[in-house]
Amino acid sequence: MKRLMNRRPNRASKIFLGLLPFIIILLVYASASSQRLAENADDKLLPSFSSMADAINRMAFQEDKRTGQYLFWTDTWSSLKRLLTAVFFAAVIALSLGILLGVIPYLHANFSPLITVISLIPPMAILPILFIVFGLGELSKVVLIGIGITPFITRDLLARVLEIPQEQLIKAQTLGANTWLVITRIVFPQVCPRLIDALRLSLGAAWLFLIASEAIAADGGLGYRIFLVRRYLAMDVIIPYVVWVTFLAFMTDYLLRKFSKFAFPWYYQASNKA
Amino acid sequence: MSILLEIKNVWKQYGDAVVLEQLSKCVSAGEFVTIVGASGCGKTTFLNMLLGTESYSKGKILLDGKPLPSEPSQDRGVVFQRYSAFPHLTVLRNTMLGAELSASPFLGIVFNRRKFSAIREKAEKMLESVGLSHALNSYPHELSGGMQQRLSIAQALMKQPRMLLLDEPFGALDPGTRSDMHKLILALWKETGITIFMVTHDIEEGFYLGTRLWVFDKVRFDPHNAEAYGAQITYDIDVDQSAKRRLKKELELELEKSEQAFGASE
């Protein structure tokens, strides 16, 4: 018998082992739900799969009587729009700041303490300020997500830029590069895959801030809907929405990873990253 | 031969600690200077001064009669022991980089197809002369240590610099690869006529490659303050066959002593 730490599952059993917890959770839920519904058919806490399917059908495939919209899709669209806008601007700002501060010592001395301090501000604590300054519209939500994730990504990228060996930067200068060309040909291309890593890590926080801001003030969005139907204990809507949000988060992460592997093969081969 | 580099009474100090003192030398174009010395004697500091990444406290260094720029520039090619190749570029693009940078000051990327293929051709020729023709589309991490150094030399030679600075370039290679690299660097040196400065900790290598061997060592000692005096160039040997045999033994003994002295002062 080999030691436990040296025994490895093969491919098929890996897949099975990975799926097993999901299956168990579904089974436990199904039995708990049917038990509760057997005692009280009007129980709202653990709705059956069929009532959740009804709810999805109602939300996603039938027009809302009041607004004439397919709420599930309009919610998804407005949430994703906010999230992607914020993540896009966060990426652009963090990339520029991280590279400039990492390459130019004067800018580093000038701004890196400020960015450290800003990154320590709890974004939720300044949400009221954002609502006061930017109003209750789209902008304040986008700004909240942006403020929540930009300092983190910036600091991460800054660290990655500083990790580039001095030898490379000196070599580039002997090959005729000035500061700008070092940025465009050496630093920027090497930091791109690391930007995607940082984005993947910060997406969880981005969703958190999105849902939070939608819960407080919005007229649409996945977070808004979840908190709205909470008043009616509509677990049959809440649970599918949460699953859907989780799925969207998973998909964005998956697509980012796939894109990164496709676009920056040297990064994954060299570092043996998954 | 014309004088390429003049070093006039150069000193290097960190605060009160003197690292290098009274360096005065002239180097003609086309020489191959190898630099040996105990570890910690300042030979890499000296090379960095030639490279422009390290300043000097006193004195002057003139390249072609003009003060040496105090930051790395195209006059001086460099090959480090490690990390000289760019991991995100293929071997070919690594080699093309220098030419691309000077052809396109805005982004450093050449989009003009004719210019691009001219640069490409030149890079392919250069890679052929260092023996990397078979690996044009590989990334540096796919290359062995010796091949990475070949790439780094090719990158540097593409710019046709006034001098080539090598900082223990073969220190991390196994003996077989190292002797291949010796042949390569000698062949390239003869072909291009470029001036080379090379730091090494291996005297044998220094004697084999150089036309001129410099030994860095301390001449003056203050028993109460090890840092009061810096290293000087104690030997400046015109390497020919007889000199090799005569001096090698002596030097080995001396360096051993000096190595111990530096060890004791640490």
mmCIF file of all heavy atoms in Angstrom, chain A residues 165 167-168 170-178 180-181 184-186 189-190 265-266 269-270, chain B residues 53 72-74 76 78 80 83-84 86-88 97-98 100 106-109 139 141 152 155 159:
data_model
loop_
_atom_site.group_PDB
_atom_site.id
_atom_site.type_symbol
_atom_site.label_atom_id
_atom_site.label_comp_id
_atom_site.label_asym_id
_atom_site.label_seq_id
_atom_site.Cartn_x
_atom_site.Cartn_y
_atom_site.Cartn_z
ATOM 1 N N PRO A 165 12.870 40.715 -14.040
ATOM 2 C CA PRO A 165 14.277 40.861 -13.668
ATOM 3 C C PRO A 165 14.906 42.116 -14.266
ATOM 4 O O PRO A 165 14.669 42.440 -15.426
ATOM 5 C CB PRO A 165 14.927 39.608 -14.276
ATOM 6 C CG PRO A 165 13.821 38.643 -14.476
ATOM 7 C CD PRO A 165 12.593 39.450 -14.718
ATOM 8 N N GLU A 167 17.764 42.483 -15.255
ATOM 9 C CA GLU A 167 18.563 42.120 -16.417
ATOM 10 C C GLU A 167 17.809 42.381 -17.715
ATOM 11 O O GLU A 167 18.375 42.880 -18.681
ATOM 12 C CB GLU A 167 18.937 40.628 -16.355
ATOM 13 C CG GLU A 167 20.077 40.300 -15.405
ATOM 14 C CD GLU A 167 19.585 39.950 -14.016
ATOM 15 O OE1 GLU A 167 18.458 40.356 -13.659
ATOM 16 O OE2 GLU A 167 20.314 39.267 -13.279
ATOM 17 N N GLN A 168 16.519 42.037 -17.713
ATOM 18 C CA GLN A 168 15.733 42.226 -18.931
ATOM 19 C C GLN A 168 15.596 43.701 -19.280
ATOM 20 O O GLN A 168 15.685 44.082 -20.444
ATOM 21 C CB GLN A 168 14.335 41.643 -18.730
ATOM 22 C CG GLN A 168 14.240 40.186 -19.008
ATOM 23 C CD GLN A 168 12.798 39.732 -18.941
ATOM 24 O OE1 GLN A 168 11.896 40.444 -19.362
ATOM 25 N NE2 GLN A 168 12.571 38.566 -18.409
ATOM 26 N N ILE A 170 17.583 46.145 -18.439
ATOM 27 C CA ILE A 170 18.877 46.676 -18.879
ATOM 28 C C ILE A 170 19.170 46.207 -20.299
ATOM 29 O O ILE A 170 19.572 46.978 -21.159
ATOM 30 C CB ILE A 170 19.988 46.230 -17.908
ATOM 31 C CG1 ILE A 170 19.767 46.868 -16.548
ATOM 32 C CG2 ILE A 170 21.357 46.590 -18.456
ATOM 33 C CD1 ILE A 170 20.639 46.291 -15.456
ATOM 34 N N LYS A 171 18.928 44.932 -20.531
ATOM 35 C CA LYS A 171 19.153 44.378 -21.867
ATOM 36 C C LYS A 171 18.349 45.162 -22.907
ATOM 37 O O LYS A 171 18.867 45.522 -23.962
ATOM 38 C CB LYS A 171 18.730 42.906 -21.882
ATOM 39 C CG LYS A 171 18.894 42.221 -23.208
ATOM 40 C CD LYS A 171 20.246 41.593 -23.319
ATOM 41 C CE LYS A 171 20.458 41.025 -24.714
ATOM 42 N NZ LYS A 171 21.696 40.272 -24.811
ATOM 43 N N ALA A 172 17.094 45.425 -22.598
ATOM 44 C CA ALA A 172 16.256 46.157 -23.548
ATOM 45 C C ALA A 172 16.851 47.531 -23.843
ATOM 46 O O ALA A 172 16.833 47.988 -24.989
ATOM 47 C CB ALA A 172 14.840 46.304 -22.994
ATOM 48 N N GLN A 173 17.406 48.178 -22.824
ATOM 49 C CA GLN A 173 18.007 49.497 -23.050
ATOM 50 C C GLN A 173 19.238 49.386 -23.941
ATOM 51 O O GLN A 173 19.474 50.248 -24.787
ATOM 52 C CB GLN A 173 18.390 50.139 -21.724
ATOM 53 C CG GLN A 173 17.180 50.465 -20.858
ATOM 54 C CD GLN A 173 17.593 51.023 -19.518
ATOM 55 O OE1 GLN A 173 18.229 52.064 -19.438
ATOM 56 N NE2 GLN A 173 17.255 50.333 -18.453
ATOM 57 N N THR A 174 20.030 48.326 -23.765
ATOM 58 C CA THR A 174 21.201 48.183 -24.636
ATOM 59 C C THR A 174 20.768 47.838 -26.062
ATOM 60 O O THR A 174 21.546 47.972 -26.991
ATOM 61 C CB THR A 174 22.168 47.082 -24.157
ATOM 62 O OG1 THR A 174 21.525 45.816 -24.283
ATOM 63 C CG2 THR A 174 22.583 47.286 -22.730
ATOM 64 N N LEU A 175 19.517 47.376 -26.220
ATOM 65 C CA LEU A 175 19.024 47.098 -27.569
ATOM 66 C C LEU A 175 18.352 48.330 -28.170
ATOM 67 O O LEU A 175 17.751 48.266 -29.238
ATOM 68 C CB LEU A 175 18.034 45.927 -27.540
ATOM 69 C CG LEU A 175 18.625 44.588 -27.112
ATOM 70 C CD1 LEU A 175 17.558 43.513 -27.082
ATOM 71 C CD2 LEU A 175 19.749 44.173 -28.049
ATOM 72 N N GLY A 176 18.408 49.446 -27.451
ATOM 73 C CA GLY A 176 17.921 50.691 -28.026
ATOM 74 C C GLY A 176 16.556 51.137 -27.541
ATOM 75 O O GLY A 176 15.957 52.028 -28.127
ATOM 76 N N ALA A 177 16.048 50.536 -26.477
ATOM 77 C CA ALA A 177 14.726 50.923 -25.999
ATOM 78 C C ALA A 177 14.834 52.122 -25.055
ATOM 79 O O ALA A 177 15.751 52.192 -24.246
ATOM 80 C CB ALA A 177 14.072 49.758 -25.265
ATOM 81 N N ASN A 178 13.909 53.067 -25.187
ATOM 82 C CA ASN A 178 13.769 54.114 -24.170
ATOM 83 C C ASN A 178 12.664 53.684 -23.202
ATOM 84 O O ASN A 178 12.119 52.575 -23.325
ATOM 85 C CB ASN A 178 13.467 55.463 -24.831
ATOM 86 C CG ASN A 178 12.259 55.388 -25.751
ATOM 87 O OD1 ASN A 178 11.385 54.545 -25.547
ATOM 88 N ND2 ASN A 178 12.205 56.245 -26.754
ATOM 89 N N TRP A 180 9.566 54.459 -22.913
ATOM 90 C CA TRP A 180 8.286 54.131 -23.552
ATOM 91 C C TRP A 180 8.348 52.779 -24.258
ATOM 92 O O TRP A 180 7.433 51.961 -24.160
ATOM 93 C CB TRP A 180 7.905 55.251 -24.514
ATOM 94 C CG TRP A 180 6.746 54.922 -25.396
ATOM 95 C CD1 TRP A 180 6.759 54.792 -26.747
ATOM 96 C CD2 TRP A 180 5.392 54.676 -24.973
ATOM 97 N NE1 TRP A 180 5.505 54.465 -27.200
ATOM 98 C CE2 TRP A 180 4.649 54.394 -26.140
ATOM 99 C CE3 TRP A 180 4.747 54.654 -23.745
ATOM 100 C CZ2 TRP A 180 3.299 54.105 -26.106
ATOM 101 C CZ3 TRP A 180 3.383 54.342 -23.703
ATOM 102 C CH2 TRP A 180 2.678 54.078 -24.870
ATOM 103 N N LEU A 181 9.460 52.533 -24.965
ATOM 104 C CA LEU A 181 9.569 51.263 -25.694
ATOM 105 C C LEU A 181 9.737 50.080 -24.739
ATOM 106 O O LEU A 181 9.276 48.970 -25.040
ATOM 107 C CB LEU A 181 10.728 51.320 -26.690
ATOM 108 C CG LEU A 181 10.484 52.252 -27.890
ATOM 109 C CD1 LEU A 181 11.715 52.355 -28.756
ATOM 110 C CD2 LEU A 181 9.295 51.770 -28.708
ATOM 111 N N THR A 184 6.161 49.351 -23.963
ATOM 112 C CA THR A 184 5.334 48.725 -25.005
ATOM 113 C C THR A 184 5.827 47.337 -25.391
ATOM 114 O O THR A 184 5.023 46.465 -25.685
ATOM 115 C CB THR A 184 5.286 49.576 -26.290
ATOM 116 O OG1 THR A 184 6.615 49.700 -26.812
ATOM 117 C CG2 THR A 184 4.711 50.941 -26.034
ATOM 118 N N ARG A 185 7.142 47.117 -25.404
ATOM 119 C CA ARG A 185 7.620 45.834 -25.919
ATOM 120 C C ARG A 185 8.001 44.818 -24.835
ATOM 121 O O ARG A 185 8.037 43.620 -25.095
ATOM 122 C CB ARG A 185 8.832 46.042 -26.842
ATOM 123 C CG ARG A 185 8.534 46.624 -28.206
ATOM 124 C CD ARG A 185 7.528 45.853 -29.034
ATOM 125 N NE ARG A 185 7.739 44.423 -29.190
ATOM 126 C CZ ARG A 185 8.413 43.864 -30.169
ATOM 127 N NH1 ARG A 185 8.987 44.593 -31.079
ATOM 128 N NH2 ARG A 185 8.521 42.561 -30.249
ATOM 129 N N ILE A 186 8.340 45.281 -23.642
ATOM 130 C CA ILE A 186 8.816 44.349 -22.618
ATOM 131 C C ILE A 186 7.792 44.200 -21.492
ATOM 132 O O ILE A 186 7.351 43.096 -21.188
ATOM 133 C CB ILE A 186 10.156 44.819 -22.009
ATOM 134 C CG1 ILE A 186 11.151 45.188 -23.110
ATOM 135 C CG2 ILE A 186 10.729 43.768 -21.069
ATOM 136 C CD1 ILE A 186 11.499 44.080 -24.046
ATOM 137 N N PRO A 189 3.513 43.509 -22.623
ATOM 138 C CA PRO A 189 3.171 42.129 -23.024
ATOM 139 C C PRO A 189 3.391 41.097 -21.926
ATOM 140 O O PRO A 189 2.672 40.107 -21.868
ATOM 141 C CB PRO A 189 4.088 41.858 -24.220
ATOM 142 C CG PRO A 189 4.974 43.009 -24.378
ATOM 143 C CD PRO A 189 4.551 44.099 -23.488
ATOM 144 N N GLN A 190 4.351 41.345 -21.049
ATOM 145 C CA GLN A 190 4.579 40.355 -19.989
ATOM 146 C C GLN A 190 3.553 40.467 -18.876
ATOM 147 O O GLN A 190 3.328 39.513 -18.133
ATOM 148 C CB GLN A 190 5.986 40.512 -19.411
ATOM 149 C CG GLN A 190 7.054 40.044 -20.367
ATOM 150 C CD GLN A 190 8.380 39.804 -19.681
ATOM 151 O OE1 GLN A 190 8.459 39.110 -18.683
ATOM 152 N NE2 GLN A 190 9.415 40.400 -20.218
ATOM 153 N N PRO A 265 0.569 31.715 -24.716
ATOM 154 C CA PRO A 265 1.013 30.340 -24.461
ATOM 155 C C PRO A 265 2.335 30.280 -23.687
ATOM 156 O O PRO A 265 2.517 29.402 -22.850
ATOM 157 C CB PRO A 265 1.181 29.759 -25.873
ATOM 158 C CG PRO A 265 1.306 30.940 -26.774
ATOM 159 C CD PRO A 265 0.493 32.022 -26.142
ATOM 160 N N TRP A 266 3.229 31.235 -23.935
ATOM 161 C CA TRP A 266 4.544 31.217 -23.287
ATOM 162 C C TRP A 266 4.408 31.300 -21.777
ATOM 163 O O TRP A 266 5.201 30.736 -21.045
ATOM 164 C CB TRP A 266 5.391 32.384 -23.794
ATOM 165 C CG TRP A 266 4.715 33.705 -23.663
ATOM 166 C CD1 TRP A 266 3.910 34.293 -24.581
ATOM 167 C CD2 TRP A 266 4.749 34.583 -22.539
ATOM 168 N NE1 TRP A 266 3.439 35.485 -24.105
ATOM 169 C CE2 TRP A 266 3.940 35.681 -22.848
ATOM 170 C CE3 TRP A 266 5.384 34.551 -21.296
ATOM 171 C CZ2 TRP A 266 3.738 36.744 -21.971
ATOM 172 C CZ3 TRP A 266 5.182 35.605 -20.426
ATOM 173 C CH2 TRP A 266 4.374 36.679 -20.761
ATOM 174 N N GLN A 269 3.247 27.736 -20.420
ATOM 175 C CA GLN A 269 4.257 26.693 -20.582
ATOM 176 C C GLN A 269 5.435 26.929 -19.645
ATOM 177 O O GLN A 269 5.947 26.017 -19.037
ATOM 178 C CB GLN A 269 4.754 26.667 -22.026
ATOM 179 C CG GLN A 269 3.705 26.165 -22.989
ATOM 180 C CD GLN A 269 3.987 26.611 -24.397
ATOM 181 O OE1 GLN A 269 5.035 27.170 -24.686
ATOM 182 N NE2 GLN A 269 3.040 26.392 -25.286
ATOM 183 N N ALA A 270 5.856 28.196 -19.530
ATOM 184 C CA ALA A 270 7.043 28.491 -18.746
ATOM 185 C C ALA A 270 6.816 28.251 -17.265
ATOM 186 O O ALA A 270 7.691 27.785 -16.561
ATOM 187 C CB ALA A 270 7.476 29.932 -18.976
ATOM 188 N N THR B 53 25.117 50.987 -15.382
ATOM 189 C CA THR B 53 24.117 50.798 -14.330
ATOM 190 C C THR B 53 24.685 51.141 -12.966
ATOM 191 O O THR B 53 23.967 51.207 -11.981
ATOM 192 C CB THR B 53 23.611 49.349 -14.291
ATOM 193 O OG1 THR B 53 24.729 48.481 -14.170
ATOM 194 C CG2 THR B 53 22.860 49.009 -15.548
ATOM 195 N N PRO B 72 22.482 52.499 -19.543
ATOM 196 C CA PRO B 72 22.736 51.545 -20.627
ATOM 197 C C PRO B 72 22.356 52.139 -21.982
ATOM 198 O O PRO B 72 21.361 52.851 -22.086
ATOM 199 C CB PRO B 72 21.819 50.369 -20.274
ATOM 200 C CG PRO B 72 21.602 50.480 -18.813
ATOM 201 C CD PRO B 72 21.621 51.936 -18.503
ATOM 202 N N SER B 73 23.153 51.885 -22.999
ATOM 203 C CA SER B 73 22.845 52.425 -24.322
ATOM 204 C C SER B 73 23.266 51.422 -25.394
ATOM 205 O O SER B 73 23.845 50.384 -25.100
ATOM 206 C CB SER B 73 23.583 53.743 -24.528
ATOM 207 O OG SER B 73 24.977 53.487 -24.559
ATOM 208 N N GLN B 74 22.963 51.787 -26.636
ATOM 209 C CA GLN B 74 23.213 50.858 -27.741
ATOM 210 C C GLN B 74 24.698 50.643 -28.024
ATOM 211 O O GLN B 74 25.055 49.746 -28.775
ATOM 212 C CB GLN B 74 22.545 51.372 -29.003
ATOM 213 C CG GLN B 74 21.078 51.614 -28.834
ATOM 214 C CD GLN B 74 20.430 52.051 -30.126
ATOM 215 O OE1 GLN B 74 20.619 51.433 -31.161
ATOM 216 N NE2 GLN B 74 19.662 53.123 -30.077
ATOM 217 N N ARG B 76 26.801 49.614 -26.013
ATOM 218 C CA ARG B 76 27.334 48.517 -25.215
ATOM 219 C C ARG B 76 26.333 47.367 -25.151
ATOM 220 O O ARG B 76 25.264 47.506 -24.570
ATOM 221 C CB ARG B 76 27.605 49.017 -23.788
ATOM 222 C CG ARG B 76 28.720 50.040 -23.733
ATOM 223 C CD ARG B 76 28.610 50.924 -22.522
ATOM 224 N NE ARG B 76 27.567 51.925 -22.666
ATOM 225 C CZ ARG B 76 27.167 52.709 -21.683
ATOM 226 N NH1 ARG B 76 27.688 52.608 -20.496
ATOM 227 N NH2 ARG B 76 26.219 53.600 -21.890
ATOM 228 N N VAL B 78 25.201 43.574 -23.873
ATOM 229 C CA VAL B 78 25.455 42.872 -22.624
ATOM 230 C C VAL B 78 24.851 41.474 -22.648
ATOM 231 O O VAL B 78 23.813 41.243 -23.267
ATOM 232 C CB VAL B 78 24.914 43.687 -21.416
ATOM 233 C CG1 VAL B 78 23.401 43.755 -21.452
ATOM 234 C CG2 VAL B 78 25.398 43.102 -20.105
ATOM 235 N N PHE B 80 24.122 38.681 -19.621
ATOM 236 C CA PHE B 80 24.205 38.329 -18.204
ATOM 237 C C PHE B 80 24.261 36.816 -18.051
ATOM 238 O O PHE B 80 24.078 36.069 -19.004
ATOM 239 C CB PHE B 80 22.993 38.867 -17.445
ATOM 240 C CG PHE B 80 22.906 40.350 -17.412
ATOM 241 C CD1 PHE B 80 21.996 41.025 -18.211
ATOM 242 C CD2 PHE B 80 23.730 41.092 -16.580
ATOM 243 C CE1 PHE B 80 21.902 42.410 -18.172
ATOM 244 C CE2 PHE B 80 23.651 42.461 -16.541
ATOM 245 C CZ PHE B 80 22.738 43.123 -17.337
ATOM 246 N N TYR B 83 18.545 35.370 -17.405
ATOM 247 C CA TYR B 83 17.441 36.312 -17.617
ATOM 248 C C TYR B 83 17.672 37.333 -18.710
ATOM 249 O O TYR B 83 17.080 38.394 -18.685
ATOM 250 C CB TYR B 83 17.134 37.102 -16.333
ATOM 251 C CG TYR B 83 16.797 36.279 -15.142
ATOM 252 C CD1 TYR B 83 17.479 36.441 -13.958
ATOM 253 C CD2 TYR B 83 15.774 35.349 -15.196
ATOM 254 C CE1 TYR B 83 17.177 35.701 -12.844
ATOM 255 C CE2 TYR B 83 15.463 34.600 -14.084
ATOM 256 C CZ TYR B 83 16.168 34.771 -12.914
ATOM 257 O OH TYR B 83 15.860 34.039 -11.810
ATOM 258 N N SER B 84 18.559 37.043 -19.674
ATOM 259 C CA SER B 84 18.795 38.064 -20.692
ATOM 260 C C SER B 84 17.788 38.006 -21.831
ATOM 261 O O SER B 84 17.607 38.970 -22.541
ATOM 262 C CB SER B 84 20.190 37.918 -21.288
ATOM 263 O OG SER B 84 21.156 38.222 -20.351
ATOM 264 N N PHE B 86 13.940 37.559 -23.544
ATOM 265 C CA PHE B 86 12.593 37.967 -23.155
ATOM 266 C C PHE B 86 11.641 36.790 -23.266
ATOM 267 O O PHE B 86 11.460 36.243 -24.362
ATOM 268 C CB PHE B 86 12.137 39.138 -24.013
ATOM 269 C CG PHE B 86 13.068 40.304 -23.900
ATOM 270 C CD1 PHE B 86 13.890 40.655 -24.940
ATOM 271 C CD2 PHE B 86 13.148 41.015 -22.714
ATOM 272 C CE1 PHE B 86 14.777 41.712 -24.815
ATOM 273 C CE2 PHE B 86 14.034 42.066 -22.574
ATOM 274 C CZ PHE B 86 14.849 42.416 -23.626
ATOM 275 N N PRO B 87 11.012 36.401 -22.171
ATOM 276 C CA PRO B 87 10.252 35.151 -22.155
ATOM 277 C C PRO B 87 9.018 35.165 -23.051
ATOM 278 O O PRO B 87 8.539 34.109 -23.438
ATOM 279 C CB PRO B 87 9.835 35.009 -20.676
ATOM 280 C CG PRO B 87 9.926 36.384 -20.111
ATOM 281 C CD PRO B 87 11.023 37.055 -20.864
ATOM 282 N N HIS B 88 8.507 36.368 -23.391
ATOM 283 C CA HIS B 88 7.257 36.421 -24.150
ATOM 284 C C HIS B 88 7.488 36.464 -25.652
ATOM 285 O O HIS B 88 6.537 36.560 -26.412
ATOM 286 C CB HIS B 88 6.436 37.625 -23.710
ATOM 287 C CG HIS B 88 7.136 38.935 -23.944
ATOM 288 N ND1 HIS B 88 8.278 39.287 -23.268
ATOM 289 C CD2 HIS B 88 6.875 39.949 -24.783
ATOM 290 C CE1 HIS B 88 8.677 40.475 -23.670
ATOM 291 N NE2 HIS B 88 7.855 40.900 -24.592
ATOM 292 N N LEU B 97 14.291 42.072 -31.991
ATOM 293 C CA LEU B 97 13.822 43.181 -31.152
ATOM 294 C C LEU B 97 14.660 44.448 -31.291
ATOM 295 O O LEU B 97 14.124 45.540 -31.484
ATOM 296 C CB LEU B 97 13.775 42.739 -29.683
ATOM 297 C CG LEU B 97 13.219 43.789 -28.720
ATOM 298 C CD1 LEU B 97 11.747 44.020 -28.986
ATOM 299 C CD2 LEU B 97 13.407 43.360 -27.273
ATOM 300 N N GLY B 98 15.978 44.291 -31.203
ATOM 301 C CA GLY B 98 16.840 45.466 -31.258
ATOM 302 C C GLY B 98 16.621 46.290 -32.516
ATOM 303 O O GLY B 98 16.468 47.509 -32.465
ATOM 304 N N GLU B 100 13.974 46.188 -34.452
ATOM 305 C CA GLU B 100 12.610 46.713 -34.471
ATOM 306 C C GLU B 100 12.489 47.987 -33.646
ATOM 307 O O GLU B 100 11.808 48.934 -34.026
ATOM 308 C CB GLU B 100 11.649 45.665 -33.910
ATOM 309 C CG GLU B 100 11.270 44.580 -34.875
ATOM 310 C CD GLU B 100 10.119 43.749 -34.337
ATOM 311 O OE1 GLU B 100 10.391 42.757 -33.626
ATOM 312 O OE2 GLU B 100 8.971 44.090 -34.603
ATOM 313 N N PHE B 106 7.732 54.549 -32.222
ATOM 314 C CA PHE B 106 6.431 54.780 -31.577
ATOM 315 C C PHE B 106 5.998 53.584 -30.741
ATOM 316 O O PHE B 106 5.735 53.702 -29.543
ATOM 317 C CB PHE B 106 5.375 55.123 -32.622
ATOM 318 C CG PHE B 106 4.029 55.377 -32.005
ATOM 319 C CD1 PHE B 106 3.891 56.325 -30.997
ATOM 320 C CD2 PHE B 106 2.921 54.657 -32.406
ATOM 321 C CE1 PHE B 106 2.662 56.549 -30.394
ATOM 322 C CE2 PHE B 106 1.683 54.883 -31.805
ATOM 323 C CZ PHE B 106 1.560 55.838 -30.807
ATOM 324 N N LEU B 107 5.935 52.395 -31.346
ATOM 325 C CA LEU B 107 5.513 51.221 -30.585
ATOM 326 C C LEU B 107 6.612 50.173 -30.456
ATOM 327 O O LEU B 107 6.504 49.237 -29.687
ATOM 328 C CB LEU B 107 4.293 50.574 -31.248
ATOM 329 C CG LEU B 107 2.955 51.264 -31.014
ATOM 330 C CD1 LEU B 107 1.853 50.527 -31.748
ATOM 331 C CD2 LEU B 107 2.641 51.323 -29.523
ATOM 332 N N GLY B 108 7.663 50.317 -31.254
ATOM 333 C CA GLY B 108 8.702 49.302 -31.225
ATOM 334 C C GLY B 108 8.319 48.059 -32.005
ATOM 335 O O GLY B 108 8.944 47.024 -31.876
ATOM 336 N N ILE B 109 7.243 48.171 -32.804
ATOM 337 C CA ILE B 109 6.827 47.040 -33.634
ATOM 338 C C ILE B 109 6.844 47.503 -35.086
ATOM 339 O O ILE B 109 6.325 48.578 -35.392
ATOM 340 C CB ILE B 109 5.404 46.561 -33.276
ATOM 341 C CG1 ILE B 109 5.315 46.277 -31.785
ATOM 342 C CG2 ILE B 109 5.032 45.324 -34.078
ATOM 343 C CD1 ILE B 109 3.901 46.033 -31.319
ATOM 344 N N TYR B 139 10.174 29.369 -27.693
ATOM 345 C CA TYR B 139 10.270 30.398 -26.660
ATOM 346 C C TYR B 139 11.497 30.101 -25.795
ATOM 347 O O TYR B 139 11.912 28.943 -25.688
ATOM 348 C CB TYR B 139 9.009 30.409 -25.803
ATOM 349 C CG TYR B 139 7.833 31.043 -26.502
ATOM 350 C CD1 TYR B 139 6.852 30.266 -27.094
ATOM 351 C CD2 TYR B 139 7.727 32.431 -26.577
ATOM 352 C CE1 TYR B 139 5.780 30.848 -27.747
ATOM 353 C CE2 TYR B 139 6.665 33.019 -27.219
ATOM 354 C CZ TYR B 139 5.693 32.223 -27.811
ATOM 355 O OH TYR B 139 4.639 32.809 -28.457
ATOM 356 N N HIS B 141 12.042 29.641 -22.729
ATOM 357 C CA HIS B 141 11.976 28.606 -21.684
ATOM 358 C C HIS B 141 12.118 27.199 -22.245
ATOM 359 O O HIS B 141 12.348 26.251 -21.513
ATOM 360 C CB HIS B 141 10.678 28.733 -20.887
ATOM 361 C CG HIS B 141 9.459 28.385 -21.679
ATOM 362 N ND1 HIS B 141 8.974 27.101 -21.758
ATOM 363 C CD2 HIS B 141 8.643 29.136 -22.428
ATOM 364 C CE1 HIS B 141 7.905 27.091 -22.525
ATOM 365 N NE2 HIS B 141 7.681 28.316 -22.955
ATOM 366 N N SER B 152 21.093 35.214 -26.375
ATOM 367 C CA SER B 152 21.401 36.509 -25.788
ATOM 368 C C SER B 152 22.562 37.185 -26.510
ATOM 369 O O SER B 152 22.561 38.405 -26.724
ATOM 370 C CB SER B 152 21.727 36.314 -24.310
ATOM 371 O OG SER B 152 21.847 37.539 -23.678
ATOM 372 N N GLN B 155 21.196 38.467 -29.852
ATOM 373 C CA GLN B 155 20.453 39.713 -29.621
ATOM 374 C C GLN B 155 21.398 40.897 -29.573
ATOM 375 O O GLN B 155 21.181 41.925 -30.200
ATOM 376 C CB GLN B 155 19.754 39.644 -28.258
ATOM 377 C CG GLN B 155 18.431 38.980 -28.233
ATOM 378 C CD GLN B 155 17.883 38.996 -26.813
ATOM 379 O OE1 GLN B 155 18.582 38.650 -25.855
ATOM 380 N NE2 GLN B 155 16.648 39.406 -26.664
ATOM 381 N N LYS B 159 22.883 44.548 -32.776
ATOM 382 C CA LYS B 159 22.993 46.005 -32.690
ATOM 383 C C LYS B 159 24.382 46.501 -33.076
ATOM 384 O O LYS B 159 24.625 47.689 -33.083
ATOM 385 C CB LYS B 159 22.688 46.483 -31.271
ATOM 386 C CG LYS B 159 21.298 46.210 -30.780
ATOM 387 C CD LYS B 159 20.258 46.890 -31.606
ATOM 388 C CE LYS B 159 20.139 48.369 -31.293
ATOM 389 N NZ LYS B 159 18.949 48.945 -31.949
#
